[in-house]
Amino acid sequence: MNEYIAAVAAPLRGPRRVRRDMLAEIEDGFEEAVAERVAAGLSRGEAVDGAASEFGEPRIVAAEVQRELEAAQARQTAWTLLIALPAMTIMWDVFGGDGDPGLAATLLARVVDAATAVAFGAAALVLTGHLERRAARLCGLLGLVQIATALGCSALIAVVADGQGPTGAWAALTAASAAGSILVCTASVRALRTARAAIS
């Protein structure tokens, strides 16, 4: 990777595969521009300098690439929210037990459902192209808020439910929820890091 491409790549944050593909495309175009100048009689150094001038300052190019990376990360995080959050909700509804959990547990569960609905709705808007501005930041924040809400309410439900429900089912649900929570948190943190890497 030449110095120009390395300078473009240095500040970039986002999905690795998308980042790699975009940098490879820029590098191919850069090398083509250099080859054209060398074929026209310039030295390699002069050709590189000319291509760098044509492409523009690395910081400006990086800013354009970073915007694309942020959009790609927003879409990835939105898909994670769309798949993981409803899956966890359905698991708890199906396997959480048939007994009456009581008013307190029911209300706490509805709070979790509301947080899930908000995060799910925002993710759907991102994927349908209706929400582009700060999409990665929004998906990241809502994902973390939903998980924090779910964990907090689940802890309170465990207290007020006083051990109701089949023990094996609770253990399986807890393990599945932990895996889903880690998945959502990881995607959300990546989205926030990518959004924070905006280049001016």
Side-chain angles (χ1 to χ4, degrees), residues 94-159:
V94 172
F95 300 108
D98 296 326
D100 181 8
L103 179 60
T106 300
L107 290 176
L108 289 167
R110 295 297 77 81
V111 170
V112 175
D113 289 345
T116 299
V118 170
F120 184 92
L125 288 174
V126 169
L127 289 175
T128 56
H130 291 87
L131 186 62
E132 295 180 4
R133 184 174 171 78
R134 302 184 187 277
R137 186 182 309 275
L138 182 62
C139 283
L141 285 173
L142 289 177
L144 292 179
V145 167
Q146 194 283 335
I147 291 301
T149 301
L151 291 177
C153 289
S154 296
L156 291 172
I157 289 172
V159 172

Side-chain angles (χ1 to χ4, degrees), residues 37-60:
R37 286 168 169 77
V38 170
L42 296 177
S43 69
R44 172 76 183 177
E46 291 171 331
V48 168
D49 290 343
S53 296
E54 177 187 339
F55 273 60
E57 290 184 36
R59 180 182 58 81
I60 295 173

